[in-house]
């Protein structure tokens, strides 16, 4: 059972992807929803808002940390910002699941949102995925344990560290399943 954090943001589109790849799922709105999951998705949305809602429910932060020590976490866009070790904005709760720093809204405002093909390379996989960039963050520094999963125009747009995967854009909004399969089905 994969949980999808459903406090704010585009959790619905992740649910659709999990359905498409036949993984059971449930929406996570409270700490009790986090027990006995086999993975968790932190969706896009507004990282400051999601952080506020999480900080109001401290148990949730503790439970997410506990889950991440055992099971994979996938974060997209705001989710990636939350997973990074630092995003230079103290309104954001940084879980530090990924040894990267992120810069919020680094591609510009909503009007500068765009669709692009990102190039995914992982194991035997080499594939172009359609993806949406919506007020996307950029990944700045990356630690040595972080693998680069995908790039777009020389920017790092998806990373993997151990079990955890984070991406700055939204392939799930264009029905792409590959990143979810890599994270939760061990596809290589
Ligand atoms: N700009 C948002 C933030 O900083 C992220 C946007 C998104 O998730 N599509 O939280």
């Amino acid at each position: 059972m994969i949980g999808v954090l459903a406090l704010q943001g585009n959790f619905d589109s992740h649910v659709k992807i999990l359905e498409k790849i036949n993984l059971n799922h449930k929406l996570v709105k409270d700490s009790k929803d986090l027990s006995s999951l086999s993975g968790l998705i932190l969706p896009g949305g507004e990282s400051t808002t999601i952080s506020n809602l999480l900080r109001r429910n401290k148990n949730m932060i503790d439970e997410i940390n506990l889950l991440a020590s055992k099971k994979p976490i996938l974060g997209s866009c705001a989710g990636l910002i939350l997973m990074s070790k630092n995003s230079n904005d103290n309104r954001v709760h940084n879980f530090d699941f990924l040894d990267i720093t992120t810069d919020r809204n680094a591609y510009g405002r909503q009007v500068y949102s765009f669709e692009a093909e990102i190039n995914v390379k992982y194991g035997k996989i080499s594939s172009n995925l359609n993806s949406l960039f919506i007020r996307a963050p950029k990944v700045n520094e990356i630690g040595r344990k972080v693998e680069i999963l995908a790039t777009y125009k020389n920017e790092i747009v998806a990373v993997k560290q151990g079990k955890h995967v984070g991406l700055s854009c939204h392939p799930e909004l264009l029905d792409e399943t590959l990143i979810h399969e890599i994270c939760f089905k061990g596809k290589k």
Side-chain angles (χ1 to χ4, degrees):
M1 178 79 71
I2 307 293
V4 184
L5 188 70
L7 298 177
Q8 190 264 339
N10 78 317
F11 47 88
D12 272 357
S13 44
H14 287 282
V15 166
K16 286 188 191 124
I17 297 292
L18 294 173
E19 277 169 5
K20 206 169 160 188
I21 60 175
N22 293 316
L23 286 175
N24 289 332
H25 51 80
K26 81 173 188 202
L27 294 181
V28 171
K29 294 178 190 260
D30 192 71
S31 54
K32 66 179 184 327
D33 302 326
L34 284 156
S35 58
S36 58
L37 291 178
S38 42
L40 178 69
I41 296 179
L42 305 177
E46 194 57 42
S47 53
T48 51
T49 306
I50 298 173
S51 296
N52 269 335
L53 295 167
L54 284 171
R55 280 170 174 160
R56 273 191 223 162
N57 190 345
K58 190 69 182 57
N59 283 344
M60 267 189 115
I61 295 183
D62 296 342
E63 288 292 325
I64 292 172
N65 279 323
L66 185 65
L67 184 69
S69 66
K70 298 176 279 192
K71 306 289 180 189
I73 313 288
L74 170 73
S76 65
C77 205
L80 173 84
I81 296 168
L82 295 170
M83 289 176 79
S84 62
K85 74 170 175 199
N86 192 349
S87 46
N88 300 311
D89 186 334
N90 57 21
R91 294 171 300 169
V92 172
H93 178 81
N94 293 116
F95 278 103
D96 195 6
F97 298 151
L98 298 169
D99 186 8
I100 60 169
T101 63
T102 45
D103 224 349
R104 298 182 58 221
N105 304 317
Y107 291 89
R109 296 171 8 184
Q110 188 87 15
V111 286
Y112 300 111
S113 299
F114 60 96
E115 182 175 338
E117 276 196 344
I118 63 170
N119 182 248
V120 181
K121 283 208 168 71
Y122 180 62
K124 289 190 200 123
I125 300 166
S126 175
S127 177
N128 286 333
L129 290 197
N130 296 316
S131 203
L132 285 180
F133 288 74
I134 305 170
R135 293 184 306 118
K138 281 190 181 172
V139 175
N140 296 325
E141 295 149 42
I142 67 166
R144 278 191 299 158
K145 289 188 183 147
V146 180
E147 288 175 80
I148 296 171
L149 270 191
T151 53
Y152 166 69
K153 285 193 176 169
N154 292 327
E155 294 287 347
I156 297 167
V157 297
V159 294
K160 186 169 192 300
Q161 182 177 346
K163 311 178 271 304
H164 305 318
V165 172
L167 64 164
S168 60
C169 49
H170 295 282
E172 78 284 352
L173 287 174
L174 296 175
D175 252 12
E176 299 277 13
T177 59
L178 179 61
I179 302 287
H180 295 68
E181 290 175 273
I182 290 173
C183 187
F184 297 122
K185 292 193 145 179
K187 185 165 175 170
K188 278 187 184 178

